Amino acid sequence: MQELFNIFLVLCMAAMVTCRSVDFSLVLQGQTNVMNYGAAGNGATDDSKAFMRAWSDICAGKSDPTLVIPGGRTFLLRPVQLLGPCKPCKIYVEAWGRIVAPSRMSDYGSSHLDCWIRFWRVNGLTVRGNGQIDGQVVGGQALGFSFCNNLQIYGLNVINSPSKHVKLFRCNGAILSNLNIKAPKESPNTDGIVIGESSQIQVHDDNIGTGDDCVAILKGSSNINISRVACGPGHGISIGSLGMNGAYDTVEEIHVQDCSFTGTQNGIRIKTWQGGSGYARKISFQSITLNAAENPIIIDQYYCPQLHCPNKTSAVKVSDISYTGVQGTSMTKTAINLRCSQSMACTNIELNRINITSVGQKFITSSFCLNAHGRASRSIPNMRCLMK
Ligand SMILES: *[C@@H]1O[C@H](CO)[C@@H](O)[C@H](O)[C@H]1NC(C)=O
Ligand SMILES: *[C@@H]1O[C@H](CO)[C@@H](O)[C@H](O)[C@H]1NC(C)=O
Ligand SMILES: *[C@@H]1O[C@H](CO)[C@@H](O)[C@H](O)[C@H]1NC(C)=O
């Protein structure tokens, strides 16, 4: 009797939680395939309504929470917003087919141009498969995930976004792995992965080559591990820019390990504007390989892409930054460039086992420091410019 009562109690409690774990062997129709919702999958018919209908059934807990986008087909999607919160605790999107954006701006619609496929307030989402998401170089950023907790994105090929390829905004807990992200080297603002105001994020085993940052970590982000990511072409891994228009911005606990940079404009970069405040701290770069990178190691507290920024008296504080085991080749002479604020010096900058030589050993690389304090050991170029 007591046992029955316990079971009853557990069932009641399970019914009280907001999202539901459903026993899907009980769902008769099986996975939620977009083809069963009227998708044509011929690359010409607009399939966005079919996707939205399938999504709304899944989100409402009316069908199996696995959205299947079958392989061997091409789905044309106008901008779609897949909104939560949803009933199921876990939702899966299996993307095996090709998903393409409209190739003409006129087909794109004008409603939400900033993002093509956006997931909003969806918790426990896993997007996986070897499908290709093709932005067709029109419209806005390709894949957006906003306010998502416990997100996983695995294996996708995301190409030709006219803007950012994958963006997380206000996500807590995410793993982005085995992604292939590609856009032409000459395409502006086509960041690979962008992480803003998010924490507890793992980015690993990805291959990213675009016209802008490989991975960009924006303000309000913390506890981010990036490992085994191959970058290039593009602008490398960037933290910032922080402190734009006098903003108070913070970033901390960012760890980059076992990453490579091939033909990138920068390697590992921290950039802040003059006049901001806040901090970028507890950041480590370990086991980094450079192949003909232009600015391998750079801290730029004078970030100013438009070239008309007056110097200000406040700055984002940069501290506790370590570089360990960074080796390879630089295209430029100044392989290590630490340009710290004159009002707020960089402190506790540590460099160990650095060996950055010039491509083809054509010239001797050098380092530059401005208001940078810390320690270095076994570094080529030497770091005598660093203040104790
Ligand atoms: C990042 O790596 C550190 C050190 O290995 C670990 O303690 C931490 O939990 C990791 N964070 C995430 C979000 O995976
Ligand atoms: C700001 O200060 C930096 C470092 O001293 C200097 O290189 C730069 O020319 C200054 N910029 C302006 C606009 O004065
Ligand atoms: C630094 O790298 C160059 C080029 O790969 C290599 O020839 C040299 O032996 C390395 N130096 C050290 C101290 O490891």
Side-chain angles (χ1 to χ4, degrees):
M1 197 58 205
Q2 182 63 33
E3 241 170 60
L4 270 179
F5 180 74
N6 283 347
I7 291 169
F8 175 73
L9 209 64
V10 166
L11 286 175
C12 281
M13 283 165 68
M16 273 156 56
V17 298
T18 49
C19 68
R20 216 148 50 93
S21 286
V22 185
D23 177 2
F24 293 104
S25 56
L26 300 176
V27 180
L28 295 174
Q29 65 269 43
Q31 296 172 324
T32 306
N33 192 319
V34 292
M35 299 306 287
N36 299 337
Y37 285 78
N42 59 16
T45 309
D46 176 12
D47 287 328
S48 27
K49 292 223 162 57
F51 273 60
M52 299 294 283
R53 280 195 297 269
W55 178 261
S56 87
D57 271 7
I58 285 176
C59 190
K62 288 187 190 154
S63 66
D64 181 296
T66 303
L67 179 71
V68 176
I69 300 155
R73 291 180 175 276
T74 300
F75 299 90
L76 174 67
L77 288 194
R78 286 173 192 255
V80 288
Q81 304 230 48
L82 304 167
L83 305 177
C86 296
K87 280 232 170 108
C89 294
K90 296 288 288 173
I91 293 183
Y92 301 88
V93 173
E94 302 225 332
W96 305 106
R98 203 168 153 242
I99 300 176
V100 299
S103 56
R104 286 178 312 202
M105 202 64 189
S106 54
D107 292 336
Y108 198 90
S110 59
S111 48
H112 25 259
L113 280 178
D114 62 319
C115 190
W116 171 39
I117 302 174
R118 189 204 299 281
F119 292 85
W120 184 272
R121 292 194 193 284
V122 181
N123 294 330
L125 174 68
T126 297
V127 183
R128 64 190 176 198
N130 63 3
Q132 187 184 65
I133 318 282
D134 183 348
Q136 303 262 39
V137 207
V138 182
Q141 77 192 35
L143 283 176
F145 300 85
S146 301
F147 305 94
C148 294
N149 297 320
N150 304 319
L151 170 70
Q152 284 194 47
I153 312 175
Y154 179 88
L156 300 182
N157 301 288
V158 188
I159 67 167
N160 296 332
S161 173
S163 172
K164 300 157 180 58
H165 283 76
V166 177
K167 178 163 183 187
L168 306 189
F169 178 69
R170 297 216 180 164
C171 290
N172 185 24
I175 304 175
L176 283 65
S177 64
N178 296 81
L179 303 178
N180 278 299
I181 299 178
K182 287 276 166 286
K185 183 183 175 186
E186 308 306 334
S187 52
N189 305 317
T190 53
D191 295 328
I193 294 173
V194 178
I195 300 170
E197 298 187 30
S198 296
S199 56
Q200 306 292 339
I201 312 291
Q202 295 177 37
V203 175
H204 68 84
D205 298 286
D206 302 308
N207 204 327
I208 303 174
T210 69
D212 208 310
D213 292 336
C214 167
V215 181
I217 295 167
L218 310 184
K219 65 181 173 136
S221 297
S222 61
N223 289 296
I224 296 178
N225 290 355
I226 301 172
S227 47
R228 299 181 301 279
V229 174
C231 294
H235 294 183
I237 293 182
S238 292
I239 295 173
S241 59
L242 305 174
M244 189 182 179
N245 297 325
Y248 173 86
D249 289 340
T250 64
V251 160
E252 69 183 323
E253 295 286 2
I254 312 294
H255 306 289
V256 179
Q257 202 173 348
D258 299 305
C259 292
S260 68
F261 298 86
T262 304
T264 53
Q265 194 193 72
N266 306 288
I268 41 190
R269 174 166 64 152
I270 298 172
K271 50 183 178 176
T272 74
W273 296 76
Q274 286 280 299
S277 62
Y279 53 82
R281 67 190 182 198
K282 299 179 187 163
I283 298 169
S284 71
F285 300 97
Q286 198 174 351
S287 304
I288 303 294
T289 305
L290 306 153
N291 301 302
E294 276 177 43
N295 299 290
I297 293 180
I298 178 164
I299 295 177
D300 183 7
Q301 294 215 269
Y302 299 87
Y303 184 65
C304 181
Q306 272 76 48
L307 307 175
H308 295 288
C309 306
N311 281 333
K312 302 267 177 67
T313 51
S314 71
V316 174
K317 169 81 178 166
V318 174
S319 67
D320 308 304
I321 316 290
S322 72
Y323 303 89
T324 313
V326 180
Q327 51 115 11
T329 54
S330 173
M331 289 289 282
T332 55
K333 187 162 164 44
T334 311
I336 302 177
N337 196 349
L338 310 179
R339 284 159 39 84
C340 297
S341 159
Q342 284 183 313
S343 48
M344 188 89 81
C346 298
T347 54
N348 201 18
I349 309 290
E350 229 179 292
L351 297 101
N352 290 304
R353 289 188 287 114
I354 312 293
N355 185 6
I356 309 173
T357 54
S358 68
V359 175
Q361 316 292 316
K362 287 202 195 80
F363 49 85
I364 306 286
T365 54
S366 62
S367 57
F368 175 84
C369 308
L370 180 65
N371 306 315
H373 296 248
R375 289 165 305 282
S377 67
R378 290 204 278 154
S379 177
I380 301 168
N382 76 65
M383 289 302 300
R384 281 193 284 270
C385 62
L386 207 55
M387 289 183 273
K388 289 275 169 342

